[in-house]
Amino acid sequence: NAGVTQTPKFRVLKTGQSMTLLCAQDMNHEYMYWYRQDPGMGLRLIHYSVGEGTTAKGEVPDGYNVSRLKKQNFLLGLESAAPSQTSVYFCASQESNQPQHFGDGTRLSIL
Amino acid sequence: QQPVQSPQAVILREGEDAVINCSSSKALYSVHWYRQKHGEAPVFLMILLKGGEQKGHEKISASFNEKKQQSSLYLTASQLSYSGTYFCGTSDLTDSWGKLQFGAGTQVVVTP
């Protein structure tokens, strides 16, 4: 019973490189989210999805893209990484008005 | 708009009580409370829905004042395990299905 699994757990990138973060959930949840967490700022929503094949922008979407081709997976892409994107990224999944279940996070540093 | 949490931080001795507040300028549908320990993922504590109900989890309880658009989290007879950062997440009437906006967090330190 894995819940929400994020890969990778850590990554260091150089400015301008691209990468994809993977989130997988095994609870058959409809809703999935990508957040970033910076010191003193709580969780800020980047993008979210209300079902397979759908995505929508959150509070801080610039510089990120997402895809949800399969219900269980939600991918977050950085096309051209910038130092301002250094952060801890959390994925979460949820059923309507139920708790959000979070993955363990991905710690991303961009040099 | 992000909900406002207060205080930003609180230091307690074991056995003491504390209250954390979460306020919004929007009409709320639900308030979620999570606790996060350093280097870990947020963990769900409880949900309060529109209707002003009060809920409890061990010696942690919460209330939701619909008229004031405010929720309060009560830590009673605190234990060392209560240390961490507490976040409220709120959904308004247009996102009643569950999309949340999170507050900046309240850091709680419980000392022996």
Side-chain angles (χ1 to χ4, degrees):
Chain A
N1 189 13
V4 178
T5 302
Q6 290 184 233
T7 52
K9 296 192 186 307
F10 303 93
R11 186 74 184 266
V12 179
L13 289 179
K14 293 182 179 179
T15 298
Q17 287 185 318
S18 64
M19 78 162 295
T20 300
L21 280 64
L22 172 63
C23 176
Q25 53 102 357
D26 62 2
M27 296 170 283
N28 203 37
H29 286 166
E30 286 294 332
Y31 309 130
M32 295 187 74
Y33 308 86
W34 275 107
Y35 296 94
R36 61 177 290 172
Q37 186 173 38
D38 302 296
M41 298 190 75
L43 294 156
R44 292 187 292 167
L45 184 62
I46 304 171
H47 286 280
Y48 64 98
S49 168
V50 298
E52 181 178 309
T54 75
T55 63
K57 294 180 180 180
E59 304 168 60
V60 289
D62 294 343
Y64 305 96
N65 56 75
V66 288
S67 64
R68 192 158 176 213
L69 300 178
K70 293 183 179 181
K71 187 176 184 179
Q72 63 267 35
N73 295 337
F74 195 28
L75 278 63
L76 178 71
L78 285 73
E79 289 186 347
S80 179
S84 61
Q85 294 176 305
T86 293
S87 188
V88 180
Y89 292 85
F90 285 102
C91 174
S93 71
Q94 181 192 29
E95 276 302 317
S96 182
N97 280 314
Q98 295 299 308
Q100 291 193 8
H101 296 258
F102 288 84
D104 289 335
T106 295
R107 283 145 187 83
L108 183 61
S109 292
I110 300 168
L111 307 177
Chain B
Q1 192 169 355
Q2 187 181 30
V4 177
Q5 284 186 237
S6 62
Q8 287 186 324
V10 59
I11 300 175
L12 301 167
R13 288 194 174 175
E14 254 186 310
E16 290 184 339
D17 303 340
V19 180
I20 300 170
N21 295 309
C22 174
S23 298
S24 176
S25 58
K26 292 185 174 183
L28 295 178
Y29 181 79
S30 71
V31 180
H32 295 217
W33 285 98
Y34 294 80
R35 178 172 63 207
Q36 184 179 31
K37 294 191 181 277
H38 184 70
E40 298 181 5
V43 173
F44 170 75
L45 293 175
M46 63 192 79
I47 292 177
L48 299 102
L49 300 178
K50 187 172 178 288
E53 62 181 294
Q54 188 153 351
K55 284 200 168 183
H57 171 78
E58 298 175 343
K59 291 184 179 178
I60 299 174
S61 61
S63 62
F64 180 14
N65 187 323
E66 204 177 322
K67 290 182 181 177
K68 292 185 178 180
Q69 305 307 327
Q70 179 177 316
S71 178
S72 296
L73 187 73
Y74 306 93
L75 307 181
T76 305
S78 58
Q79 304 169 13
L80 295 176
S81 61
Y82 287 2
S83 292
T85 301
Y86 290 76
F87 293 98
C88 66
T90 59
S91 67
D92 61 31
L93 300 181
T94 59
D95 290 321
S96 60
W97 50 270
K99 182 163 74 74
L100 301 175
Q101 288 191 307
F102 284 90
T106 296
Q107 186 176 9
V108 173
V109 175
V110 182
T111 62

